Amino acid sequence: MRTAEIVRETKETKVRLAVNLDGTGKATISTGIGFFDHMLDLLARHARFDLEIEAKGDLHVDFHHTTEDVGIVLGQAVKRALGDMRGITRYADLHLPMDETLTRVALDISGRPYLVFRTEFRVAKIGEFDTELVREFFQAFASNAGVTLHVETLYGDNAHHIAESCFKGLARALRGAVAIDAAASGEIPSTKGALGG
């Protein structure tokens, strides 16, 4: 079973997260941020990860610390659950349509963290959620999962659709990249013989 559980506690947040990469998309999410919970639920369901997240943060300040710290812990958990990454497909890319919006996501589970995020929002908030926090989550995830991640919204108008296309695109890319390649199930998918450095 490719699973991991992490608890991270700081003066700003406490996050407990458990992930099963070979799950069915079952999610139990509680961050105190309704829109963010919705995005994380979408991520779990479309990646087919079983995901439990309980986060308590300084929401009286703003949503930044909680959003970023959940991204940190999710990245760490995915990395731990992958182990030595033997047999994974490693690469995945797709175009994710969401009504009038189209977002392209490409992912390499390389061990080299890098984010290219070319998505713009025309509004500052979706409900009470700051749209700039979408990028903060993706940056925290990519850095801590050790993945190279490119996200680009090619076009779109509705901020909710844009954010949702990014999260669903990440989910579908993760689903493809962590899948075991039956033709190379015992191999590490790198000419170096190792991933992660």
Side-chain angles (χ1 to χ4, degrees), residues 143-186:
S143 295
N144 287 274
V147 301
T148 299
L149 177 60
H150 292 247
V151 180
E152 182 176 19
T153 299
L154 303 179
Y155 45 83
D157 297 310
N158 182 283
H160 190 128
H161 295 165
I162 292 169
E164 189 164 329
S165 70
C166 292
F167 276 86
K168 284 182 175 176
L170 172 61
R172 286 285 173 162
L174 281 168
R175 181 174 173 176
V178 305
I180 298 300
D181 181 350
S185 59

Side-chain angles (χ1 to χ4, degrees), residues 98-197:
M98 179 71 192
D99 294 349
E100 86 296 342
T101 297
L102 184 66
T103 295
R104 174 171 53 208
V105 178
L107 176 69
D108 175 14
I109 302 177
S110 59
R112 297 184 304 278
Y114 200 88
L115 175 69
V116 174
F117 192 82
R118 295 181 178 168
T119 292
E120 295 181 4
F121 294 91
R122 297 180 183 180
V123 296
K125 289 182 179 288
I126 303 170
E128 297 180 345
F129 188 83
D130 295 314
T131 52
E132 68 181 9
L133 295 181
V134 175
R135 187 188 195 286
E136 292 301 320
F137 171 82
F138 276 75
Q139 182 66 66
F141 173 79
S143 295
N144 287 274
V147 301
T148 299
L149 177 60
H150 292 247
V151 180
E152 182 176 19
T153 299
L154 303 179
Y155 45 83
D157 297 310
N158 182 283
H160 190 128
H161 295 165
I162 292 169
E164 189 164 329
S165 70
C166 292
F167 276 86
K168 284 182 175 176
L170 172 61
R172 286 285 173 162
L174 281 168
R175 181 174 173 176
V178 305
I180 298 300
D181 181 350
S185 59
E187 302 172 11
I188 294 174
S190 171
T191 54
K192 294 183 291 188
L195 289 169

